[in-house]
Amino acid sequence: MSTRMVLLGPPGAGKGTQAARISERLSIPAISTGDIFRSNVAGGTPLGAQAKAYMDKGEYVPDSITNAMVAGRLAQEDCATGFLLDGYPRTEAQVGELDTMLAQSGKALDVVVEITADVDAVVARLLKRADEQGRTDDTEPVIRRRLEVYTEQTEPLAAIYEARGLLVRVDGVGGVEEVTERIMTALASRSANA
Ligand code: B4P
């Protein structure tokens, strides 16, 4: 079965962690805009140079850059039968752009999973990751800014997808395997009710 899904959630909710696991279970590619930006930064590409300045401050990379990158990735062969978008869309304009990209190929989203977690839990996780991986956007002031940007620009997307009947909310607090099982159960009960 093909699944076209989006993972929403604040920084540190476990999007990247769960995207890898769900993509394996469903045999669909996980596309993380954050990972694509970071690999461009590491590779010293012009896209990486543009993105780094925004990421290091906790700001979103401009829609024009992000949308073009996602359109290119979704056009690749492995996305023909499904995909999991991790961290895109993050703004209302990106929602509209994704709608257009999918409509052009006669496709539509099947489900949007919002992983929820409270501020204390996500800040603690990201500070732990800072110790382990040294990501330049995992310092406390930048984490706080990322959370503000999320609340202003991305949190409202849940209501948009809820109004379309696509949204499923999953509690992201708990063990990694436990959260994966919650997502799989939510997806299964959704397809059973479809
Ligand atoms: P992302 O890479 O998406 O970063 P993130 O929001 O921190 O999520 P991530 O997936 O890394 O973390 P996760 O919650 O899995 O974006 C980084 C930046 O890129 C953005 O700030 C922005 O500048 C730019 N960007 C990306 N997409 C964009 C877009 N569409 N438009 C504009 N700009 C964009 O995990 C966090 C930590 O928690 C990990 O250490 C993990 O091990 C841990 N963890 C996960 N699950 C856990 C659990 N159940 N229990 C305990 N710890 C857990």
Side-chain angles (χ1 to χ4, degrees), residues 27-39:
S27 303
I28 50 175
I31 300 165
S32 158
T33 39
D35 282 351
I36 302 175
F37 286 136
R38 278 186 291 279
S39 74

PDB file of all heavy atoms in Angstrom, residues 27-39:
ATOM      1  N   SER A  27       8.344   0.736   4.344  1.00  0.00           N
ATOM      2  CA  SER A  27       9.125   0.671   3.097  1.00  0.00           C
ATOM      3  C   SER A  27       8.880   1.875   2.191  1.00  0.00           C
ATOM      4  O   SER A  27       8.589   1.734   0.998  1.00  0.00           O
ATOM      5  CB  SER A  27       8.823  -0.604   2.311  1.00  0.00           C
ATOM      6  OG  SER A  27       9.083  -1.719   3.100  1.00  0.00           O
ATOM      7  N   ILE A  28       8.966   3.050   2.782  1.00  0.00           N
ATOM      8  CA  ILE A  28       8.873   4.291   1.999  1.00  0.00           C
ATOM      9  C   ILE A  28      10.063   5.166   2.396  1.00  0.00           C
ATOM     10  O   ILE A  28      10.548   5.058   3.524  1.00  0.00           O
ATOM     11  CB  ILE A  28       7.541   5.059   2.260  1.00  0.00           C
ATOM     12  CG1 ILE A  28       7.273   5.232   3.771  1.00  0.00           C
ATOM     13  CG2 ILE A  28       6.371   4.392   1.561  1.00  0.00           C
ATOM     14  CD1 ILE A  28       6.057   6.084   4.104  1.00  0.00           C
ATOM     15  N   PRO A  29      10.548   6.035   1.489  1.00  0.00           N
ATOM     16  CA  PRO A  29      11.685   6.881   1.858  1.00  0.00           C
ATOM     17  C   PRO A  29      11.300   7.958   2.873  1.00  0.00           C
ATOM     18  O   PRO A  29      10.201   8.522   2.776  1.00  0.00           O
ATOM     19  CB  PRO A  29      12.108   7.519   0.527  1.00  0.00           C
ATOM     20  CG  PRO A  29      10.932   7.406  -0.369  1.00  0.00           C
ATOM     21  CD  PRO A  29      10.132   6.213   0.088  1.00  0.00           C
ATOM     22  N   ALA A  30      12.179   8.210   3.837  1.00  0.00           N
ATOM     23  CA  ALA A  30      11.984   9.327   4.769  1.00  0.00           C
ATOM     24  C   ALA A  30      12.781  10.503   4.232  1.00  0.00           C
ATOM     25  O   ALA A  30      13.967  10.369   3.914  1.00  0.00           O
ATOM     26  CB  ALA A  30      12.488   8.948   6.160  1.00  0.00           C
ATOM     27  N   ILE A  31      12.115  11.630   4.093  1.00  0.00           N
ATOM     28  CA  ILE A  31      12.779  12.821   3.556  1.00  0.00           C
ATOM     29  C   ILE A  31      12.817  13.871   4.650  1.00  0.00           C
ATOM     30  O   ILE A  31      11.769  14.390   5.048  1.00  0.00           O
ATOM     31  CB  ILE A  31      12.007  13.354   2.331  1.00  0.00           C
ATOM     32  CG1 ILE A  31      11.958  12.265   1.254  1.00  0.00           C
ATOM     33  CG2 ILE A  31      12.641  14.638   1.799  1.00  0.00           C
ATOM     34  CD1 ILE A  31      10.943  12.539   0.172  1.00  0.00           C
ATOM     35  N   SER A  32      14.009  14.162   5.161  1.00  0.00           N
ATOM     36  CA  SER A  32      14.149  15.154   6.222  1.00  0.00           C
ATOM     37  C   SER A  32      14.795  16.402   5.645  1.00  0.00           C
ATOM     38  O   SER A  32      15.953  16.359   5.200  1.00  0.00           O
ATOM     39  CB  SER A  32      15.025  14.595   7.348  1.00  0.00           C
ATOM     40  OG  SER A  32      15.582  15.659   8.098  1.00  0.00           O
ATOM     41  N   THR A  33      14.057  17.505   5.629  1.00  0.00           N
ATOM     42  CA  THR A  33      14.643  18.741   5.093  1.00  0.00           C
ATOM     43  C   THR A  33      15.843  19.162   5.952  1.00  0.00           C
ATOM     44  O   THR A  33      16.845  19.629   5.423  1.00  0.00           O
ATOM     45  CB  THR A  33      13.581  19.862   5.024  1.00  0.00           C
ATOM     46  OG1 THR A  33      12.744  19.791   6.182  1.00  0.00           O
ATOM     47  CG2 THR A  33      12.733  19.723   3.790  1.00  0.00           C
ATOM     48  N   GLY A  34      15.736  18.948   7.273  1.00  0.00           N
ATOM     49  CA  GLY A  34      16.863  19.291   8.154  1.00  0.00           C
ATOM     50  C   GLY A  34      18.110  18.506   7.774  1.00  0.00           C
ATOM     51  O   GLY A  34      19.205  19.057   7.671  1.00  0.00           O
ATOM     52  N   ASP A  35      17.948  17.188   7.524  1.00  0.00           N
ATOM     53  CA  ASP A  35      19.106  16.354   7.154  1.00  0.00           C
ATOM     54  C   ASP A  35      19.684  16.789   5.808  1.00  0.00           C
ATOM     55  O   ASP A  35      20.897  16.801   5.626  1.00  0.00           O
ATOM     56  CB  ASP A  35      18.696  14.869   7.032  1.00  0.00           C
ATOM     57  CG  ASP A  35      18.557  14.209   8.392  1.00  0.00           C
ATOM     58  OD1 ASP A  35      18.938  14.820   9.405  1.00  0.00           O
ATOM     59  OD2 ASP A  35      18.052  13.063   8.430  1.00  0.00           O
ATOM     60  N   ILE A  36      18.806  17.127   4.861  1.00  0.00           N
ATOM     61  CA  ILE A  36      19.317  17.539   3.542  1.00  0.00           C
ATOM     62  C   ILE A  36      20.122  18.841   3.694  1.00  0.00           C
ATOM     63  O   ILE A  36      21.209  18.979   3.149  1.00  0.00           O
ATOM     64  CB  ILE A  36      18.188  17.708   2.497  1.00  0.00           C
ATOM     65  CG1 ILE A  36      17.396  16.397   2.336  1.00  0.00           C
ATOM     66  CG2 ILE A  36      18.766  18.122   1.143  1.00  0.00           C
ATOM     67  CD1 ILE A  36      16.185  16.489   1.404  1.00  0.00           C
ATOM     68  N   PHE A  37      19.582  19.776   4.497  1.00  0.00           N
ATOM     69  CA  PHE A  37      20.341  21.018   4.726  1.00  0.00           C
ATOM     70  C   PHE A  37      21.681  20.710   5.393  1.00  0.00           C
ATOM     71  O   PHE A  37      22.721  21.218   4.972  1.00  0.00           O
ATOM     72  CB  PHE A  37      19.548  21.998   5.608  1.00  0.00           C
ATOM     73  CG  PHE A  37      18.393  22.671   4.907  1.00  0.00           C
ATOM     74  CD1 PHE A  37      17.152  22.791   5.529  1.00  0.00           C
ATOM     75  CD2 PHE A  37      18.538  23.211   3.639  1.00  0.00           C
ATOM     76  CE1 PHE A  37      16.089  23.414   4.896  1.00  0.00           C
ATOM     77  CE2 PHE A  37      17.477  23.837   2.998  1.00  0.00           C
ATOM     78  CZ  PHE A  37      16.246  23.938   3.632  1.00  0.00           C
ATOM     79  N   ARG A  38      21.655  19.855   6.428  1.00  0.00           N
ATOM     80  CA  ARG A  38      22.915  19.566   7.144  1.00  0.00           C
ATOM     81  C   ARG A  38      23.930  18.875   6.242  1.00  0.00           C
ATOM     82  O   ARG A  38      25.118  19.153   6.319  1.00  0.00           O
ATOM     83  CB  ARG A  38      22.649  18.702   8.390  1.00  0.00           C
ATOM     84  CG  ARG A  38      22.187  19.533   9.598  1.00  0.00           C
ATOM     85  CD  ARG A  38      22.067  18.710  10.856  1.00  0.00           C
ATOM     86  NE  ARG A  38      20.972  17.763  10.783  1.00  0.00           N
ATOM     87  CZ  ARG A  38      19.687  18.067  11.002  1.00  0.00           C
ATOM     88  NH1 ARG A  38      19.349  19.295  11.355  1.00  0.00           N
ATOM     89  NH2 ARG A  38      18.758  17.158  10.897  1.00  0.00           N
ATOM     90  N   SER A  39      23.466  17.989   5.336  1.00  0.00           N
ATOM     91  CA  SER A  39      24.465  17.338   4.481  1.00  0.00           C
ATOM     92  C   SER A  39      25.024  18.333   3.466  1.00  0.00           C
ATOM     93  O   SER A  39      26.189  18.249   3.084  1.00  0.00           O
ATOM     94  CB  SER A  39      23.931  16.054   3.843  1.00  0.00           C
ATOM     95  OG  SER A  39      23.050  16.366   2.826  1.00  0.00           O
TER      96      SER A  39
END
